[in-house]
Amino acid sequence: MPIDDEAEAEALADKLAAEMVASLDADMLSEAKSMGMATSVFAAQIEEYRAKFNAEVSAALAEKDLFGVAASRLLIETE
């Protein structure tokens, strides 16, 4: 049964986004962040994890792109 609680979906989005970022090459991530291109450089990984997220949540929550927001937040933050 898909998740239909927005708070629960946001927590899942944060968890998956953190998992995705942890799996990325740290040097490449740092370089991409410094150029402001992390979301472009890691677009394939974002889509892979977005699909995992969307498979777990209701269609209405998938449309809100909660995962995209969580992933972007982590990929845009600088150390």
Side-chain angles (χ1 to χ4, degrees), residues 17-62:
E19 182 181 301
M20 178 194 71
V21 169
S23 75
L24 301 175
D25 177 273
D27 291 335
M28 192 172 180
L29 177 58
S30 180
E31 186 175 333
K33 279 183 173 185
S34 71
M35 295 186 306
M37 297 180 59
T39 55
S40 297
V41 171
F42 298 109
Q45 291 85 347
I46 292 169
E47 290 309 310
E48 175 188 341
Y49 277 84
R50 179 180 281 123
K52 290 180 185 183
F53 174 78
N54 288 348
E56 297 289 324
V57 300
S58 68
L61 289 175

